[in-house]
Amino acid sequence: MELDAIKNSWKQENLQIAANVQLNKSALMEKINKETSWMKKKNLLVLLFRIPFPVIILILLFTNIQIQNIFNFYVGLGLFLGFACFTLWGLIGYYLKLRKLDLTESYLENKKKVRELELFKLEMTKRNYCSSPVGIAGIFLMINMPLFTTTEGAIMLLLIMTIMAISIFVNLRYILPAQFKRLNKEMEEIRKLEEEA
């Protein structure tokens, strides 16, 4: 009799442990899904903020400048719009890839998607930084600013290049790796859950 009672109590405890483990897995998956959803929303907000940004710059330029050299103005406008379209195309592509990320799929499938996202984001960031002088040159041509003939122009160019260098360093060294480190940590938690199941 006592042996049967002990077996029954063990079965009850095993059932309770299994139920608790399942609750913990569900809570962890819900937490990870919320964080991924927040990441998608945050990137959408960044995208929605950056889409009208070139238009705002153009409106500010058109309201505050007098067009003196028509050729320079149109060349600068073309350079700036080309740069703006190039960067927006990359942002939209990244967001569309990010939307496809679904953490309810298998670990290996998600790991592959996260790696593709990581590489795409790094490549896009590098391309944007390399092409940003084209956009800046476009703005300078539109406002007809002499860069190398005046001290003020040379100082402004030096300051812009310094800020760009700092921004490139911070983004590639700290911000991007931190984002993907967090995502990879979540993927590792999912892998552990799949192994336990």
Side-chain angles (χ1 to χ4, degrees):
M1 288 295 257
E2 285 183 24
L3 190 58
D4 288 337
I6 291 172
K7 284 181 182 179
N8 285 336
S9 69
W10 278 353
K11 283 182 186 177
Q12 289 292 330
E13 285 181 24
N14 283 340
L15 289 173
Q16 285 179 338
I17 289 171
N20 285 339
V21 167
Q22 188 58 40
L23 281 174
N24 288 341
K25 285 181 184 178
S26 299
L28 183 60
M29 281 303 288
E30 186 177 323
K31 176 185 174 256
I32 289 172
N33 282 330
K34 279 183 183 176
E35 287 177 5
T36 307
S37 176
W38 167 243
M39 182 178 162
K40 290 177 184 179
K41 287 177 185 174
K42 184 177 83 171
N43 276 283
L44 178 62
L45 288 174
V46 166
L47 180 64
L48 292 176
F49 170 74
R50 287 191 178 173
I51 285 175
F53 191 67
V55 176
I56 293 170
I57 288 177
L58 286 175
I59 290 170
L60 289 173
L61 285 175
F62 281 128
T63 57
N64 293 322
I65 65 169
Q66 295 176 358
I67 300 173
Q68 296 170 352
N69 188 341
I70 298 292
F71 179 74
N72 280 359
F73 178 78
Y74 285 117
V75 170
L77 183 65
L79 289 174
F80 179 74
L81 288 177
F83 168 71
C85 291
F86 182 71
T87 55
L88 289 176
W89 171 72
L91 284 169
I92 291 169
Y94 176 72
Y95 180 71
L96 292 175
K97 285 179 181 284
L98 181 65
R99 275 191 57 205
K100 292 179 184 174
L101 184 64
D102 181 15
L103 294 180
T104 57
E105 293 178 355
S106 71
Y107 171 76
L108 290 176
E109 188 65 33
N110 276 321
K111 195 68 175 170
K112 181 180 164 189
K113 286 182 182 177
V114 167
R115 187 67 187 147
E116 287 172 2
L117 264 176
E118 205 171 339
L119 291 173
F120 184 80
K121 180 78 173 189
L122 285 172
E123 192 63 36
M124 184 188 73
T125 304
K126 288 176 186 176
R127 276 190 338 226
N128 289 347
Y129 280 127
C130 290
S131 63
S132 60
V134 172
I136 293 170
I139 291 174
F140 285 147
L141 282 172
M142 281 191 286
I143 62 175
N144 205 22
M145 174 154 200
L147 293 179
F148 301 108
T149 57
T150 64
T151 308
E152 293 86 8
I155 290 173
M156 185 178 355
L157 187 63
L158 180 66
L159 287 173
I160 289 171
M161 297 312 255
T162 304
I163 290 170
M164 280 180 60
I166 291 169
S167 177
I168 290 169
F169 176 76
V170 169
N171 259 306
L172 295 179
R173 178 83 173 140
Y174 298 108
I175 295 174
L176 288 176
Q179 287 176 350
F180 287 105
K181 183 178 180 183
R182 186 173 61 245
L183 199 55
N184 284 325
K185 181 181 171 193
E186 291 171 5
M187 295 296 302
E188 192 62 32
E189 290 175 357
I190 290 172
R191 185 186 61 78
K192 288 177 184 174
L193 283 176
E194 286 180 355
E195 286 177 356
E196 290 174 4

